[in-house]
Amino acid sequence: MSRYAAGSAVTCEPVEQGLLNRGYRLRTTRGRYFLKHHFDPDTAEPAAIERRHRATQRLADLGVPVAPPLAGRDGRTVAVVGGHAYALHPWVEGRHRHGGQLTPEQCARLGALLGAVHAALERVMPPKARTRPATSPHPVRSADPTDTFAVIDDLLTRVRRHRPADSFDELARHRLLERRALLERHAHRRPPRGAATGWVHGDFHPFNLLYKGDAPAAIVDWDRLGVQPRAEEVVRAAAIFFVRPAGALDLPKVRAYAHAYRRAAGAAPSELAAAVHRVWWERLNDFWMLRWHYERGDTRADPQFPASSALAVWWTREYEAVCDAFAG
């Protein structure tokens, strides 16, 4: 803590939430802070972290609810210790809220907030950067089902070899076979390259938004800040906020959220409809949770798999209703 005018550390406790980076709740003689260890190699380059820090400070100046980091005594917001990058943020008192905990009015407020974020980013970020950064996790080019079939075959082999077999293996095998059949049936619907790109948060979901009471207090974790199709972030976020345990979207809440976003961001219904198609296709071809489980032995995302894998099936069946909720 000698790098900061933040007092001496009294306690340091790990924050459990978070899949890619590590965080600690830090109490010092001068207050409470959040210490972030930038652990994900794709986003941990110190100069890139500092660029994102400058962006969040500019957003804060515009009134966007964010928590910019503290600068050290040397004026820098990133401390590199033992080859690892760290940043110290003020502690934001609040809690995460899933879409099931939000009223329709709060869903609309959420959509308006994301619209305001996109509009503010267009004001504070370089207008010349209109190509996808290397750190963007979502490709503009749509997935090739031929490649996906190879991934499915590999995962099925890994499932079959896993011993002792368990209920997760059984569900994984069922979903993989089901998804292969869906892709064979819908391969002709592969979407073209994405369009209408702009600056986005890149990872907007319930664990990256803190509420104080009924109001959003801070949008956190800007590690995936980049240039992507804006409306696709809207759809991806809704597919996380508003998915029910059985894998269906709460469409009335999606409608309130999407309508407010379109009004705040000035987005056309056609832009949202195109994004629905691209994100639906992305979901059909995406197996990152199973790849973490079987290739990396990382089970942290396992609890999300039942609802997420069911959503792709439900979305295919209710495709028109989903489009109407976002763009109707």
Side-chain angles (χ1 to χ4, degrees):
M1 297 300 294
S2 60
R3 296 171 181 264
Y4 302 92
S8 301
V10 177
T11 62
C12 183
E13 302 171 347
V15 175
E16 296 300 327
Q17 291 157 341
L19 292 178
L20 298 178
N21 293 296
R22 297 169 180 170
Y24 302 88
R25 183 187 294 106
L26 192 64
R27 186 164 66 88
T28 78
T29 52
R30 293 193 177 181
R32 291 187 297 168
Y33 302 90
F34 176 73
L35 178 64
K36 181 169 181 176
H37 176 190
H38 289 266
F39 189 74
D40 179 17
D42 289 339
T43 60
E45 201 276 314
I49 297 171
E50 291 206 337
R51 286 194 294 270
R52 296 193 295 269
H53 287 170
R54 290 193 291 271
T56 57
Q57 183 58 63
R58 292 193 291 266
L59 290 173
D61 293 342
L62 292 179
V64 177
V66 293
L70 280 66
R73 298 182 190 278
D74 59 359
R76 302 178 69 90
T77 56
V78 177
V80 179
V81 181
H84 297 278
Y86 296 86
L88 188 67
H89 298 257
W91 181 262
V92 178
E93 194 61 52
R95 63 190 182 99
H96 304 292
R97 302 184 70 178
H98 194 272
Q101 299 169 307
L102 303 179
T103 66
E105 293 75 17
Q106 290 167 341
C107 295
R109 187 170 186 175
L110 178 67
L113 173 62
L114 185 53
V117 167
H118 287 176
L121 284 170
E122 289 300 299
R123 292 178 58 185
V124 306
M125 298 303 290
K128 63 182 179 180
R130 286 294 178 266
T131 57
R132 181 173 61 89
T135 58
S136 173
H138 303 299
V140 174
R141 180 178 177 271
S142 61
D144 186 335
T146 302
D147 297 335
T148 305
F149 291 140
V151 171
I152 290 173
D153 289 342
D154 178 70
L155 285 170
L156 283 169
T157 299
R158 291 174 183 269
V159 171
R160 187 166 56 250
R161 292 175 177 172
H162 184 255
R163 292 291 182 274
D166 55 26
S167 59
F168 189 92
D169 297 329
E170 183 179 356
L171 178 60
R173 181 179 182 278
H174 170 72
R175 291 304 188 196
L176 286 164
L177 293 173
E178 181 180 54
R179 195 77 62 83
R180 185 163 64 188
L182 283 175
L183 279 168
E184 288 170 348
R185 193 178 313 142
H186 296 284
H188 64 285
R189 298 175 66 184
R190 180 184 178 186
R193 287 180 176 272
T197 58
W199 286 96
V200 299
H201 176 276
D203 201 18
F204 194 79
H205 59 69
F207 285 144
N208 284 338
L209 179 60
L210 285 165
Y211 278 83
K212 187 172 184 179
D214 292 337
I219 305 166
V220 300
D221 194 356
W222 290 81
D223 291 346
R224 298 291 180 177
L225 174 66
V227 177
Q228 299 175 21
R230 290 182 301 264
E232 291 181 31
E233 171 155 86
V234 181
V235 178
R236 287 191 193 96
I240 303 173
F241 271 98
F242 303 115
V243 64
R244 291 167 167 162
L249 291 178
D250 188 330
L251 293 183
K253 290 187 175 183
V254 168
R255 187 181 299 276
Y257 157 89
H259 181 75
Y261 173 82
R262 297 201 322 257
R263 187 169 60 245
S270 58
E271 187 179 344
L272 271 294
V276 167
H277 186 68
R278 287 186 57 80
V279 178
W280 163 74
W281 180 259
E282 179 182 281
R283 286 296 185 118
L284 279 185
N285 287 269
D286 183 37
F287 296 96
W288 74 268
M289 294 180 190
L290 292 184
R291 298 188 78 161
W292 275 32
H293 182 98
Y294 290 104
E295 295 177 10
R296 297 165 47 170
D298 189 330
T299 61
R300 288 176 296 166
D302 286 6
Q304 303 175 39
F305 179 68
S308 178
S309 60
L311 176 60
V313 182
W314 177 89
W315 194 334
T316 303
R317 186 175 65 247
E318 302 294 337
Y319 181 88
E320 296 300 332
V322 177
C323 277
D324 185 67
F326 280 98

